[in-house]
Amino acid sequence: MGFTEESSYLPQQVSKPICVVSPQFVCPHPFDMLSGKKLLALSDGNFGVTDVNGNLIFKVKGKLLSVHGKRLLVDAVGNRILTFHKKLTSARKRWQCFRGDGTDSRDHLFTAKLSNRTQFKTSLDVFLASNRNQDVADFKVKGNWFEKRCTVFAGESTTVIAEMSKKLNVQNIAFGVDTYTITVYPNVDYAFIVAIMAILNEICEEKSDDDEK
């Protein structure tokens, strides 16, 4: 998976576990998920994330309730895992993510900042809360939203820690369902990766809405 121009980058075993949200979301083996807006009824959230067997893992909620871009990442039974929202005063699009349902600085986990966006390609720089200077990104996300592909890298390296690509099958095409495969590589926090993908989805949906105006 990944985009064509990044095909020389191969997934590598990270030297130590990447745990941003919680150790419970770190697996010692590759972890595959499916995500899509139409996996859920509109009233049940913005989009859902399931395992490959269709069991619900996460939901992203809040789009219908908030004018300030506040979103909640909840698990299958509704426990609030993360809160993320757009920082309205930022010149570049910037999202902040917090543990649970608060927005207190002590619960701040990471910030995702739009670093580049063209007609089709979108890039994010992700800074952990401990990276106060934000001179160098802790993670980078490079995506081609037109092709529905993106790759998450560890820092400035070529180490791939997760990928997303559009899942094509006869059922999806026939019913117009947008479903994506997310592969998270070993020892990487998959809740963190889902949060990044949700933020990227929000940014690209905003762009689509702007283009239609």
Side-chain angles (χ1 to χ4, degrees):
M1 294 189 293
F3 353 83
T4 303
E5 63 264 34
E6 308 290 354
S7 59
S8 60
Y9 296 140
L10 298 177
Q12 301 174 31
Q13 185 76 30
V14 294
S15 58
K16 59 181 181 179
I18 295 174
C19 179
V20 178
V21 180
S22 171
Q24 75 182 90
F25 302 120
V26 178
C27 291
H29 51 77
F31 191 75
D32 289 326
M33 298 176 283
L34 301 177
S35 71
K37 291 188 292 184
K38 295 185 180 180
L39 290 176
L40 296 171
L42 185 62
S43 61
D44 199 29
N46 195 20
F47 67 88
V49 179
T50 72
D51 63 19
V52 293
N53 296 316
N55 300 307
L56 186 66
I57 304 174
F58 298 115
K59 294 182 285 187
V60 176
K61 306 180 72 172
K63 189 166 186 178
L64 300 178
L65 305 175
S66 173
V67 296
H68 298 297
K70 184 177 180 181
R71 308 289 182 265
L72 292 172
L73 180 70
V74 303
D75 65 15
V77 296
N79 295 317
R80 296 182 176 187
I81 308 301
L82 298 172
T83 297
F84 52 99
H85 66 87
K86 182 169 57 177
K87 194 170 183 179
L88 300 178
T89 57
S90 176
R92 283 182 176 268
K93 291 187 183 296
R94 184 188 298 260
W95 288 76
Q96 292 184 312
C97 185
F98 301 82
R99 192 186 312 277
D101 60 357
T103 55
D104 191 277
S105 59
R106 63 186 175 184
D107 294 320
H108 182 214
L109 294 176
F110 69 87
T111 297
K113 182 174 67 175
L114 185 66
S115 56
N116 180 52
R117 186 173 73 181
T118 61
Q119 184 177 5
F120 299 130
K121 295 183 180 180
T122 300
S123 299
L124 293 178
D125 288 340
V126 180
F127 305 93
L128 296 177
S130 58
N131 184 353
R132 298 187 182 279
N133 292 331
Q134 298 188 358
D135 294 328
V136 179
D138 295 291
F139 304 93
K140 281 187 170 289
V141 185
K142 298 181 181 181
N144 186 320
W145 206 248
F146 180 75
E147 296 179 358
K148 303 300 185 186
R149 296 176 181 268
C150 74
T151 303
V152 184
F153 297 90
E156 302 287 344
S157 73
T158 59
T159 300
V160 176
I161 62 171
E163 295 182 273
M164 183 193 78
S165 64
K166 186 158 187 169
K167 183 178 178 61
L168 294 177
N169 58 37
V170 174
Q171 183 181 25
N172 287 353
I173 295 173
F175 293 96
V177 177
D178 286 331
T179 305
Y180 312 98
T181 300
I182 301 173
T183 297
V184 182
Y185 290 100
N187 297 316
V188 177
D189 187 329
Y190 61 85
F192 169 57
I193 297 300
V194 168
I196 290 176
M197 298 301 179
I199 289 170
L200 185 64
N201 179 71
E202 291 287 342
I203 290 173
C204 292
E205 280 200 344
E206 283 183 0
K207 182 181 185 305
S208 297
D209 291 342
D210 291 342
D211 290 344
E212 291 174 0
K213 292 179 181 178

